Amino acid sequence: MRKMLAAVSRVLSGASQKPASRVLVASRNFANDATFEIKKCDLHRLEEGPPVTTVLTREDGLRYYRMMQTVRRMELKADQLYKQKIIRGFCHLCDGQEACCVGLEAGINPTDHLITAYRAHGFTFTRGLSVREILAELTGRKGGCAKGKGGSMHMYAKNFYGGNGIVGAQGQIFEAYNMAALWKLPCIFICENNRYGMGTSVERAAASTDYYKRGDFIPGLRVDGMDILCVREATRFAAAYCRSGKGPILMELQTYRYHGHSMSDPGVSYRTREEIQEVRSKSDPIMLLKDRMVNSNLASVEELKEIDVEVRKEIEDAAQFATADPEPPLEELGYHIYSSDPPFEVRGANQWIKFKSVS
C-alpha cells in the first residue's frame, strides 16, 4: 500500500511539474517611437522645405500599416469582383499608391476639405468611410456610400468631395492655380504622379515632367510618394504654409500604380511586367513601413501578420455584404438629385412611369 501511495505521489508530482516546464512566457518591450531619415523634397520657389528626419510612434506606425494594408486588400478584392462581373462599368484601382492617401490624411485635420478625381477608393476610406460602404458602392448596392448610384468614380464622405470622373473637373487646373494665387487661398494642389497616363508614360506625353513647378508662381514640392513618412511630413509642411496666410502650394507625389489605368487596361502594353515587379520588390509603400517598424523595434513580424489576418477577414466580410445587399429599387432613380428641394416628378425613358425626387 505504501509503495502504491508513493507511486501515485510521484505521478501526481510529475503531472503538476510537467506543464510548468513547458510554459513559455514571451515578454517583449517595444520602443515607443523611433527617428527616421527621409528623402529631401525638391523645392520650387521655396527657401526651406519639409524636414529630412521625422519621428514615428509605435501607435501611429501600427495605424498607418493597418490602413495601407486595408486599402491594398480592398483594391485587390475589387479587382476580383470586377473580373467576376459583380462590379460593372468603370473601376480605377489605387494599389501601389497607398502611401499617398494614408500619408495625406496623417498630415491634415479631419475638418479640412478634400476633393479628388477618380482612383478615389483609398481617399474615401481614409476620410472615414468603411470598406463595406465602399465595396457596396462599387457593386451598386443600397448600402453603398452613394446608395449604389455613384460607383467607382463618385464617392463622398464628410468633408470629402471625391471621385470626379473627368481629370481636372475638380478645378480647371490652371485657372484654379491663377485664382488661388491671386486671392492667396489656403489650398494645397496635389499631383499624384504615378508615372503613367491612360496608356502612355509621362515622358512620352509631357515636354516637362516637373509637375511641382507647373503652378508657376505657386511654390511647389516634389515628394517621394512611396514613403508614407515623406508624404506625411510634406503635407504637414504644406498645410502649415497655407494656414499661415501665404496662399496656395503645389505638391507632386511621385508614386506608382500596380494596376492599369482602369480595369479595362491590362497595364502591360506600355510598360513591362519586370518594371512593375521591380517597384513591388524595392519601393512598395507597405513593405517600406513594415521594414522600418520591425528593424526599429516598433513592432514584430508576428504582430503585423496578425493585422494582415484581421484585415483579410474585414475585407471578406465587407465583400459578402457587398454581394448580398439589394440593389436600389427603380422607384428611387430620381432620389437625391437636389438637396433641400420639395419632391418633383422626374421624366424617364418610359413616359408611362413617373419618378419622384426625394431630397
Side-chain angles (χ1 to χ4, degrees):
M1 186 67 180
R2 288 176 183 166
K3 291 182 179 179
M4 184 181 295
L5 290 173
V8 170
S9 176
R10 285 195 299 271
V11 170
L12 292 175
S13 176
S16 64
Q17 293 173 1
K18 285 182 180 177
S21 67
R22 289 196 292 265
V23 169
L24 174 63
V25 178
S27 177
R28 177 171 177 178
N29 293 322
F30 291 106
N32 291 324
D33 56 61
T35 301
F36 298 101
E37 293 184 359
I38 55 177
K39 185 178 178 180
K40 184 179 180 180
C41 295
D42 296 319
L43 306 179
H44 170 63
R45 300 180 70 89
L46 288 168
E47 294 183 1
E48 294 182 358
V52 293
T53 62
T54 186
V55 174
L56 176 66
T57 66
R58 168 174 157 79
E59 180 183 1
D60 284 345
L62 291 174
R63 185 170 75 255
Y64 300 159
Y65 181 84
R66 181 183 292 273
M67 292 178 74
M68 287 202 293
Q69 195 67 274
T70 300
V71 173
R72 173 71 56 86
R73 292 292 166 185
M74 178 177 69
E75 295 296 70
L76 294 178
K77 177 56 68 173
D79 171 89
Q80 179 185 342
L81 293 173
Y82 193 95
K83 289 172 179 174
Q84 293 172 346
K85 298 187 177 180
I86 297 173
I87 294 175
R88 308 302 294 265
F90 295 101
C91 186
H92 301 81
L93 304 180
C94 69
D95 48 316
Q97 301 181 203
E98 295 86 357
C100 295
C101 57
V102 178
L104 176 66
E105 190 64 35
I108 60 175
N109 302 324
T111 52
D112 292 324
H113 299 268
L114 177 64
I115 181 170
T116 187
Y118 51 74
R119 217 176 305 283
H121 308 162
F123 288 107
T124 310
F125 174 73
T126 57
R127 285 268 90 182
L129 289 182
S130 67
V131 177
R132 171 182 286 211
E133 291 172 291
I134 296 169
L135 288 183
E137 186 58 40
L138 290 175
T139 57
R141 309 303 171 113
K142 286 184 66 176
C145 57
K147 302 189 185 301
K149 299 177 183 178
S152 177
M153 295 191 289
H154 303 283
M155 295 184 176
Y156 308 94
K158 185 176 177 59
N159 297 331
F160 175 62
Y161 320 95
N164 293 280
I166 303 299
V167 177
Q170 64 270 34
Q172 300 299 325
I173 195 68
F174 291 104
E175 290 88 342
Y177 284 168
N178 185 57
M179 292 171 66
L182 284 172
W183 297 343
K184 291 190 178 298
L185 300 180
C187 182
I188 305 174
F189 294 100
I190 296 176
C191 168
E192 285 183 275
N193 179 8
N194 58 28
R195 294 170 50 180
Y196 291 93
M198 229 163 158
T200 190
S201 68
V202 293
E203 291 81 10
R204 292 196 295 265
S208 171
T209 58
D210 291 335
Y211 296 106
Y212 71 111
K213 297 180 180 179
R214 291 283 187 95
D216 195 3
F217 285 94
I218 297 178
L221 301 166
R222 183 156 58 189
V223 185
D224 182 357
M226 300 299 274
D227 182 349
I228 186 172
L229 299 183
C230 280
V231 177
R232 184 188 70 177
E233 293 308 311
T235 304
R236 286 176 174 173
F237 173 88
Y241 180 94
C242 290
R243 297 187 209 281
S244 68
K246 296 178 181 177
I249 194 169
L250 173 60
M251 289 203 307
E252 175 189 345
L253 306 181
Q254 292 190 312
T255 183
Y256 197 83
R257 66 169 199 244
Y258 292 156
H259 271 85
H261 169 75
S262 69
M263 286 301 297
S264 61
D265 169 21
V268 290
S269 60
Y270 47 85
R271 60 180 180 176
T272 63
R273 297 182 189 276
E274 290 74 22
E275 177 188 295
I276 301 170
Q277 187 55 42
E278 183 178 11
V279 175
R280 283 183 180 274
S281 63
K282 294 181 179 179
S283 305
D284 183 82
I286 299 176
M287 177 195 71
L288 292 176
L289 178 62
K290 177 181 179 179
D291 289 347
R292 272 178 169 159
M293 294 184 68
V294 171
N295 294 336
S296 301
N297 195 35
L298 291 176
S300 65
V301 173
E302 294 75 20
E303 185 178 20
L304 297 178
K305 283 182 178 179
E306 287 180 8
I307 293 177
D308 296 346
V309 171
E310 293 170 2
V311 167
R312 283 192 175 96
K313 185 180 186 307
E314 179 188 357
I315 301 301
E316 288 301 324
D317 291 345
Q320 288 290 330
F321 173 79
T323 54
D325 193 48
E327 296 178 352
L330 188 60
E331 57 267 21
E332 293 186 6
L333 183 63
Y335 287 14
H336 311 107
I337 295 176
Y338 297 103
S339 174
S340 303
D341 278 347
F344 58 92
E345 290 187 356
V346 180
R347 186 177 64 185
N350 188 330
Q351 60 178 326
W352 308 110
I353 300 177
K354 293 182 179 180
F355 301 101
K356 283 282 187 180
S357 73
V358 173
S359 296

